[in-house]
Amino acid sequence: AEARNAETVLADLAGMKRGSLAIFASQTIASFWLPPLLVSYLERYPHIELKVEIGNTAESAAAVGEGYAELGLIEGEVDLPALEISDVAEDRLVLVVGRRHRWATTPPKKPSELAGTGWALREPGSGTRSSFEAAIAAHGMTSHDLKIALELPSNEAVLNAVAASRCLAALSQRAVARPAAAGWIRILPLPGAERPFSLLTNPQPYRTLAARAL
């Protein structure tokens, strides 16, 4: 990390004419929110090499904290006192069911009904999972109150499981927009499931021009 830091300081002397930027982003951000921004960035700074890796929120925080990535982008609220955190966008979790689920035609009327169906959830450590657990905590529930049938490591895996089963899931509205428009899942509201997309930076190393520009 120290060697890369020295290289980036030297690259900055070229004034954005060369250099690289390492970004570690959680899955929903990297798949649905970040790509158009990166395209705009490269149109302005075509000589900067962008290196983007994907992991869950915990992995993104570790990458920034250890100097492996200069910028991290995560979902939901986290307690990371060693890093600087700033909100950069807003998101919302929604419930999704497949066409075979009884709620596809008759949605539940109260939050307590969520404990009466099977669930397919993202893995612990993901921003989607922590945001979902915070949302149901507001209704007096924890994940231990749910019938968790599957824990899966990607949004796509959860969506495919929901479409093929009678399980319920909670995912970003950004991740489910196209499948819902195609008609193979149904979206249901999840009260209190708003969350931020946040930028993580390490206050200790030098902040490159490339990072500041993004």
Side-chain angles (χ1 to χ4, degrees):
E2 291 178 357
R4 284 195 299 270
N5 191 42
E7 290 174 358
T8 56
V9 172
L10 293 175
D12 272 4
L13 296 176
M16 296 287 286
K17 294 180 180 178
R18 63 185 178 90
S20 64
L21 176 60
I23 305 166
F24 211 104
S26 57
Q27 193 178 118
T28 301
I29 291 175
S31 298
F32 301 100
W33 181 76
L34 185 58
L37 300 181
L38 297 182
V39 170
S40 297
Y41 182 90
L42 288 174
E43 289 174 349
R44 296 184 63 183
Y45 308 106
H47 302 297
I48 301 299
E49 179 186 5
L50 296 177
K51 302 175 181 178
V52 181
E53 293 199 38
I54 299 175
N56 61 31
T57 292
E59 292 167 339
S60 298
V64 174
E66 296 168 7
Y68 184 73
E70 190 169 357
L71 301 179
L73 288 159
I74 62 169
E75 309 151 27
E77 298 181 1
V78 292
D79 183 17
L80 299 168
L83 302 178
E84 293 180 347
I85 305 174
S86 55
D87 295 346
V88 292
E90 295 180 350
D91 188 41
R92 175 190 294 272
L93 293 188
V94 293
L95 301 176
V96 291
V97 295
R99 290 179 291 183
R100 297 171 58 196
H101 198 287
R102 65 184 186 278
W103 289 350
T105 54
T106 308
K109 296 181 179 179
K110 49 188 179 180
S112 60
E113 294 181 60
L114 298 180
T117 188
W119 285 82
L121 294 178
R122 285 289 307 276
E123 79 286 3
S126 70
T128 295
R129 177 67 173 264
S130 62
S131 297
F132 169 68
E133 290 177 342
I136 63 173
H139 300 289
M141 290 184 289
T142 72
S143 57
H144 297 294
D145 298 318
L146 307 179
K147 300 175 182 177
I148 302 176
L150 292 168
E151 291 182 336
L152 298 165
S154 73
N155 296 326
E156 290 77 10
V158 172
L159 280 169
N160 282 310
V162 166
S165 71
R166 291 183 173 86
C167 285
L168 181 67
L171 292 170
S172 167
Q173 60 183 358
R174 301 171 190 269
V176 304
R178 289 183 179 178
W184 56 279
I185 61 167
R186 169 86 183 274
I187 295 177
L188 307 175
L190 178 59
E194 298 80 9
R195 63 176 183 172
F197 285 166
S198 301
L199 174 69
L200 297 182
T201 55
N202 191 328
Q204 300 303 321
Y206 173 78
R207 187 78 49 78
T208 64
L209 293 177
R212 293 178 206 171
L214 183 59

